[in-house]
Amino acid sequence: MAVNIPGVIGVVVFYLLVLGTGIWASFKSKRKQRNSGATGMEMALLGNRSINVVVGVFTMTATWIGGGVIVGSVEMMCTPSMGLIRVIVLFLSYSSTFIIGGLLFVKPLRERNCVTLLDSFYIKYGKVITTGMSLFSLFIDVLCIPATLTGLGGTMSVVLDLPFSLCVWISAAVIIIYTLMGGLYSVAYTDIIQLVLILVGLLICVLFVMTSPHTLDISQTLMNNTLNAPWIGQPELKKIWIMIDDFFIFALGGLAYQSFHQRTLSATSIASAKISCFAAAFFMLIFSIPPILIGAAAASTDWNQTTYGSPSPYERGEAAMALPIALQHLTPTFISIVGIGCVAAAVMSSADSVLLSAASVFTNNIYKRILRPQASDRESQWVIRISVVVVGVAGTTLTMLNKGIVLFMYLGTGITYTIIFPEFLCVLFFNISNGYGAIMGILVGSALILLIGDPILGLKPVLHFPGCTLEDGVYIQYAPVKTISMLSTFAAILLFSYLASVLFNKGVLPEKWDVFKVKAQHSPVPLSPVGGAKEEEDNKEMKGNNSGIL
């Protein structure tokens, strides 16, 4: 198969459009900085907290609509054991992240004038624990990049017939360039173009895929075993707790990602941040429709009549490539090019957020607070740029591991949900939590990740929860083990925090041993306002907006 020249030209045009938008946004950011007197670091990381509601909704939604989500949803639709039911669970969990975040997490972080979610740890626990949690956050961000880029590389390599590595590295280079040039402004404004292209492009692809002469009426194959298994999915009853576990992993685990809070912290006010969250929750469900329809059409196709041939992608073990295969064999060439643009846009909208998230955590919580507190604003800006490049190159390099990256991704998911989320929850809402409890929470969570085992990670379970069975030589935990682990971490934080507080306050342990100063612990003190942010004005605006809405 020869290289798809029209497809290559189309992708180049799209990349130039995105890159041009990013460069334009970088100039807009510099003008805004001069007019407002904001620091370069504040402008790069939070856009001087001046992102309005419209842009906020776009960038919030685009952050979650990644290439992995689109390609993975089509894959799930073509996998009989998952199907429509699992895809709905996935998108409902993502939507729940925005709703819960808007209701519970926006106000506490804004009132503390945080730049990153890790600032809340610094306020309460100090440098040591903040450094540890920052390293966890950086590790997870690095792992998110290859998972996102892999979907794009696979799609482009199938449709354009280009080497996987070439597709990945060119895409990564474009993302890195506009992110380091304009920071949050470039990321936010390119998200607008990317999100529009994703929705419009996918709807066009849906039209052609569903009207293909080789595709049956999807309403007839929803629950009937015709050409392939029913695309509604056939999840076994014994897996219901696994589905519930997955829902909470994505719904609550997403609240521990800096890329989410970067959007709420960059908004003009608490009110606009909340509105962006609630609107994004709605649009998340809207964006679930195109991949569901494409997946349903792919599961209802007589592949023997296509150039792909029999058996189906699922039966060949190629369900992960169901989207590019459908685009290549069920649509005209120019439509498949549009589909590539959609996946590329989705990848960019998530990957740039991850890059900026990692740069924010490293610069603000490690370099600026730990390594060089006296660093100038200009120095901090260079650290941000270098961080973007280093994290981008490191994450892109991991894509070369191909299937091996799945192991890292599952480890990253476990860390986010099992360790970071309960720690974050306790920092914001439980005054009793202290450094001793936080350390024990990290130890308990880490131990449980290893002890409960995971067949994908190749870890045999040491702890066998009810329902754990040996299937084909592999132990499967049918209990919601990750949620149990998260709750155990949460309980350990509060229990050991209380125990440490009692021991030091009652004099059982000498005060000189109290390295985290729990005896003198008091309510969190907000950080000094950064970049001219005035939360009192934000609160007044929120009240005014709320009264108008109600």
Side-chain angles (χ1 to χ4, degrees), residues 62 73 100 183 202 228 240 338 408 443:
S73 298
I100 298 170
L202 282 179
N228 304 296
I240 187 67
V338 173
F408 293 106
L443 295 176

Side-chain angles (χ1 to χ4, degrees), residues 442-508:
I442 293 172
L443 295 176
V444 170
S446 302
L448 286 172
I449 289 174
L450 298 175
L451 293 176
I452 62 175
D454 195 307
I456 296 180
L457 288 171
L459 296 174
K460 293 183 179 179
V462 177
L463 295 177
H464 291 234
F465 287 88
C468 181
T469 58
L470 183 64
E471 298 180 4
D472 299 324
V474 178
Y475 280 101
I476 306 295
Q477 299 265 28
Y478 285 103
V481 291
K482 291 220 170 36
T483 298
I484 292 172
S485 300
M486 183 273 290
L487 293 174
S488 300
T489 301
F490 176 71
I493 296 168
L494 297 184
L495 175 62
F496 285 98
S497 292
Y498 175 75
L499 182 61
S501 180
V502 169
L503 291 176
F504 283 113
N505 282 300
K506 291 188 176 295
V508 177

Side-chain angles (χ1 to χ4, degrees), residues 10 40-41 49 53 74 128 131 133 160 192 269 275-276 292 297 302 511 517:
M41 178 175 168
R49 302 188 195 268
V53 173
V74 177
V128 176
T131 302
M133 298 305 295
L160 301 182
I192 297 175
S269 66
I275 292 171
S276 297
I292 286 176
D302 185 355
E511 189 172 348
K517 308 300 179 186

Side-chain angles (χ1 to χ4, degrees), residues 254-494:
L255 294 167
Y257 282 99
Q258 162 62 16
S259 54
F260 168 73
H261 297 286
Q262 195 141 24
R263 270 72 194 153
T264 63
L265 292 171
S266 65
T268 55
S269 66
I270 292 176
S272 62
K274 288 187 174 184
I275 292 171
S276 297
C277 287
F278 300 145
F282 170 75
F283 284 113
M284 195 74 207
L285 299 179
I286 298 299
F287 275 86
S288 70
I289 297 174
I292 286 176
L293 293 177
I294 293 176
S300 307
T301 296
D302 185 355
W303 291 102
N304 191 43
Q305 296 184 16
T306 69
T307 52
Y308 181 75
S310 291
S312 67
Y314 171 74
E315 293 171 317
R316 293 191 193 186
E318 297 179 351
M321 304 302 294
L323 176 60
I325 290 172
L327 292 175
Q328 184 180 18
H329 299 281
L330 300 179
T331 68
T333 301
F334 69 94
I335 296 299
S336 65
I337 296 171
V338 173
I340 293 174
C342 295
V343 177
V347 167
M348 289 182 166
S349 66
S350 294
D352 56 13
S353 301
V354 173
L355 289 179
L356 193 61
S357 166
S360 301
V361 170
F362 179 79
T363 305
N364 184 69
N365 297 108
I366 296 180
Y367 191 83
K368 185 77 174 174
R369 295 202 185 280
I370 310 297
L371 301 179
R372 276 184 58 82
Q374 73 276 22
S376 65
D377 181 60
R378 183 176 179 81
E379 181 180 344
S380 298
Q381 290 183 66
W382 275 106
V383 173
I384 293 171
R385 297 183 185 112
I386 294 171
S387 300
V388 168
V389 174
V390 171
V391 172
V393 171
T396 307
T397 302
L398 289 178
T399 60
M400 300 303 108
L401 296 178
N402 294 326
K403 293 183 179 180
I405 194 59
V406 175
L407 306 180
F408 293 106
M409 275 309 302
Y410 268 80
L411 182 58
T413 302
I415 291 173
T416 304
Y417 183 56
T418 305
I419 298 176
I420 299 181
F421 172 71
E423 294 278 8
F424 186 42
L425 194 66
C426 289
V427 162
L428 291 185
F429 301 109
F430 293 86
N431 288 332
I432 193 175
S433 67
N434 54 50
Y436 303 103
I439 290 176
M440 291 306 300
I442 293 172
L443 295 176
V444 170
S446 302
L448 286 172
I449 289 174
L450 298 175
L451 293 176
I452 62 175
D454 195 307
I456 296 180
L457 288 171
L459 296 174
K460 293 183 179 179
V462 177
L463 295 177
H464 291 234
F465 287 88
C468 181
T469 58
L470 183 64
E471 298 180 4
D472 299 324
V474 178
Y475 280 101
I476 306 295
Q477 299 265 28
Y478 285 103
V481 291
K482 291 220 170 36
T483 298
I484 292 172
S485 300
M486 183 273 290
L487 293 174
S488 300
T489 301
F490 176 71
I493 296 168
L494 297 184

